[in-house]
């Protein structure tokens, strides 16, 4: 994420209609990613959980939007306090901002920056939901989102991107959200599932995706929206850095998808559509923090490494016994860690900043900074999320009952089902005077 830069009055930028329009489009693209995620996750669960999975993403659009306007933007990007969080009274309720007031050092209005960042805040808790499929009360999930973005996401966003935030001032590079979004969400997912436990039938019952076309649709829309997520994070389009990030987003995603499919073929003997979709998302995750600091060749390497390691990591849940329903830990946590750390190897020093990685003569300095960023966000989010889940579980209960989980969370929590087949082929059969068809013989083809 581009930093706020203080400039001399003589050099103060003026509002750019082009950059403002560009950022509004990017904001809309990032907003699209949350419904895309809903489709991606919704297709991966069983039929009886489809609507609940969709709603776990959609409710984030409602809750986080209101909290962001009331105080979230102020906490994340207000005047720094102790390098831990921000606060600016004019950002509370977004009520003290002028129509053409510019975000410090940039050519876009504060309102545009605020709404762009809002879309990041919305999708981050939605990412967590994939790990909790089939078993969480909707009211408990809504409360968890409310508490989590307040206590975890808003402060961490300040650490990483806010002027004065301690990771920002240290020089940790996170172009568009490897730490603040993906590691944050992945660690939170792990913390919650360690508290609430496994699904009924985990490792015993088949829990295959009910609609792979929905999964592929969601993955395709995520890939599309991610160009706004990544390229837009430079907050303008004047110096070519956003263009490099756009290219690297495409390149790394392609490499990760191919690497995942290659591993899958060697390990399991097939190229699956689920593997293609998951590999693409792994590449998108990994290039998010790193794509503004590497070359396209570096992006190929980062994508391929992430695709391979994430494909290997998704099987760890069966080895260690944690039920990460839709592989949020395996893809978002692992992919975020890989992409963030690889900045310390592949940063060229010629794109978003002068910081160089190990492969470009920069030594271990940047790698050390990246490691601090990775593991501090991971630890804070993991611990805080587990505590929040534990409090909710001990007070109102985090999970639905075992009977409700078995019968289907859609009907229990939403009084609906994703698909209604009751009318399929319905109606009164027309009368006919034709002679009945002969009984089939062994040589007669009968439709199933």
């Amino acid at each position: 994420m581009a930093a706020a830069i203080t400039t001399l009055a003589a050099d103060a930028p003026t509002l750019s209609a082009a950059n403002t329009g560009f950022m509004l489009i990017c904001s809309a693209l990032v907003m699209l990613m949350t419904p895309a995620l809903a489709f991606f996750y919704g297709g991966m669960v069983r039929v009886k959980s489809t609507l609940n999975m969709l709603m776990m993403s959609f409710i984030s659009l409602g809750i986080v939007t209101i909290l962001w306007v009331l105080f979230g933007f102020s906490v994340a990007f207000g005047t720094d306090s102790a390098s831990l969080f921000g606060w600016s009274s004019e950002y509370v309720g977004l009520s003290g901002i002028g129509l053409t007031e510019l975000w410090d050092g940039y050519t876009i209005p504060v309102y545009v920056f605020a709404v762009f960042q809002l879309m990041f805040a919305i999708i981050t808790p939605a990412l967590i939901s994939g790990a909790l499929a089939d078993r969480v009360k909707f009211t408990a999930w809504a409360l968890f989102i409310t508490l989590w973005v307040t206590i975890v996401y808003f402060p961490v966003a300040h650490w990483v991107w806010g002027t004065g935030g301690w990771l920002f001032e240290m020089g940790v590079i996170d172009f568009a959200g490897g730490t603040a979004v993906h590691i944050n969400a992945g660690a939170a997912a792990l913390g919650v599932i360690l508290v609430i436990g496994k699904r009924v039938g985990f490792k015993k019952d088949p829990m295959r995706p009910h609609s792979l076309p929905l999964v592929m649709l969601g993955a395709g829309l995520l890939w599309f929206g991610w160009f706004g997520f990544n390229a837009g994070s430079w907050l303008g389009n004047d110096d070519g850095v956003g263009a490099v990030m756009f290219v690297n987003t495409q390149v790394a995603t392609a490499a990760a998808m191919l690497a995942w499919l290659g591993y899958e073929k060697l390990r399991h003997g097939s190229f699956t559509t689920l593997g293609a979709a998951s590999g693409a998302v792994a590449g998108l995750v990994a290039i998010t923090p790193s794509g503004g600091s590497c070359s396209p060749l570096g992006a190929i390497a980062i994508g391929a490494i992430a695709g391979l390691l994430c494909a290997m990591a998704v099987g760890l849940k069966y080895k260690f016994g944690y039920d990460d329903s839709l592989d949020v830990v395996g893809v978002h946590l692992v992919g975020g860690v890989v992409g963030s750390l690889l900045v310390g190897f592949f940063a060229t020093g010629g794109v978003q900043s002068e910081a160089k990685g190990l492969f470009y003569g920069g030594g271990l300095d940047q790698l050390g900074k990246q490691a601090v960023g990775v593991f501090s966000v991971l630890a804070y989010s993991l611990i805080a999320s587990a505590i929040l889940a534990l409090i909710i579980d001990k007070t109102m209960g985090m999970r639905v009952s075992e009977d409700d989980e078995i019968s289907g969370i859609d009907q229990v929590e939403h009084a609906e089902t994703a698909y209604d087949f009751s009318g399929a082929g319905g109606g009164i059969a027309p009368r006919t005077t034709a002679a009945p068809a002969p009984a089939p013989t062994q040589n007669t083809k009968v439709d199933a």
Side-chain angles (χ1 to χ4, degrees):
M1 186 67 57
I5 302 171
T6 301
T7 59
L8 298 175
D11 300 321
T14 58
L15 190 149
S16 165
N19 283 339
T20 298
F22 169 72
M23 289 306 301
L24 288 172
I25 292 171
C26 287
S27 300
L29 288 172
V30 182
M31 181 273 163
L32 178 66
M33 291 173 65
T34 298
L37 181 73
F39 281 119
F40 181 69
Y41 282 167
M44 290 176 69
V45 295
R46 291 169 288 180
V47 170
K48 63 183 180 180
S49 303
T50 306
L51 294 180
N52 181 251
M53 203 72 260
L54 295 174
M55 282 293 288
M56 289 178 83
S57 287
F58 267 81
I59 195 63
S60 186
L61 283 160
I63 292 173
V64 180
T65 296
I66 301 304
L67 296 179
W68 186 256
V69 171
L70 293 178
F71 60 84
F73 182 59
S74 184
V75 172
F77 292 100
T79 302
D80 177 68
S81 179
S83 297
L84 296 176
F85 58 89
W87 189 260
S88 296
S89 58
E90 66 269 25
Y91 294 162
V92 176
L94 301 184
S95 58
I97 302 170
L99 287 177
T100 58
E101 180 182 344
L102 300 182
W103 184 243
D104 194 15
Y106 290 88
T107 60
I108 62 172
V110 175
Y111 276 120
V112 175
F113 178 74
V115 77
F116 180 68
Q117 280 294 322
L118 165 61
M119 303 311 172
F120 282 68
I122 288 169
I123 196 172
T124 305
L127 292 171
I128 302 169
S129 67
L132 316 179
D134 297 335
R135 60 199 189 276
V136 174
K137 292 179 181 177
F138 191 68
T139 50
W141 171 244
L143 177 59
F144 178 81
I145 288 179
T146 302
L147 297 174
W148 189 83
V149 294
T150 301
I151 295 170
V152 180
Y153 181 81
F154 297 158
V156 168
H158 183 76
W159 298 358
V160 175
W161 293 320
T163 300
W166 71 279
L167 294 177
F168 175 84
E169 297 299 331
M170 181 186 291
V172 174
I173 294 176
D174 185 353
F175 194 94
T179 52
V181 176
H182 297 290
I183 293 174
N184 204 2
L190 181 59
V192 176
I193 58 181
L194 291 177
V195 171
I196 67 171
K198 309 173 184 66
R199 288 169 291 178
V200 175
F202 176 65
K203 294 200 293 188
K204 297 177 182 178
D205 299 337
M207 298 180 179
R208 293 184 292 270
H210 89 279
S211 176
L212 287 169
L214 274 187
V215 174
M216 296 299 281
L217 173 64
L221 289 173
L222 281 170
W223 193 334
F224 175 69
W226 223 292
F227 291 116
F229 194 87
N230 282 357
S233 288
W234 198 238
L235 306 185
N237 199 26
D238 297 322
D239 56 8
V241 175
V244 172
M245 185 55 164
F246 193 108
V247 171
N248 286 345
T249 299
Q250 177 69 16
V251 168
T253 306
M257 180 178 65
L258 295 176
W260 188 301
L261 287 172
Y263 172 83
E264 192 173 56
K265 177 65 174 177
L266 292 174
R267 183 75 174 80
H268 304 292
S270 302
F271 301 113
T272 68
T273 52
L274 183 60
S278 300
V281 173
L284 291 165
V285 170
I287 204 60
T288 292
S290 57
S293 59
C294 69
S295 68
L297 289 177
I300 292 176
I302 290 170
I305 293 168
L308 177 62
L309 293 181
C310 289
M312 298 170 66
V314 296
L316 294 177
K317 62 184 178 183
Y318 300 110
K319 180 177 181 180
F320 294 108
Y322 60 90
D323 186 7
D324 176 17
S325 306
L326 307 183
D327 301 320
V328 178
V329 176
V331 174
H332 292 276
L333 178 57
V334 173
V337 169
V338 169
S340 297
L341 292 179
L342 288 180
V343 171
F345 292 92
F346 290 99
T348 65
V351 192
Q352 76 175 94
S353 72
E354 295 180 356
K356 293 184 178 180
L358 183 63
F359 295 160
Y360 290 84
L364 296 173
D365 181 61
Q366 190 61 44
L367 179 60
K369 294 176 181 178
Q370 296 302 118
V372 171
V374 164
F375 294 109
S376 60
V377 172
L378 194 161
Y380 177 67
S381 184
L382 175 68
I383 295 170
S385 304
I387 292 172
L388 290 175
L390 185 62
I391 292 172
I392 295 173
D393 193 47
K394 295 300 183 182
T395 52
M396 64 183 296
M398 193 82 173
R399 292 187 63 149
V400 298
S401 69
E402 182 173 321
D403 287 343
D404 288 345
E405 182 180 335
I406 292 172
S407 64
I409 196 169
D410 282 0
Q411 189 65 55
V412 170
E413 291 290 302
H414 307 289
E416 298 171 307
T417 56
Y419 306 100
D420 183 0
F421 297 113
S422 61
I428 301 174
R431 295 186 178 185
T432 177
T433 57
T441 64
Q442 289 183 338
N443 296 323
T444 304
K445 180 180 179 181
V446 179
D447 291 334

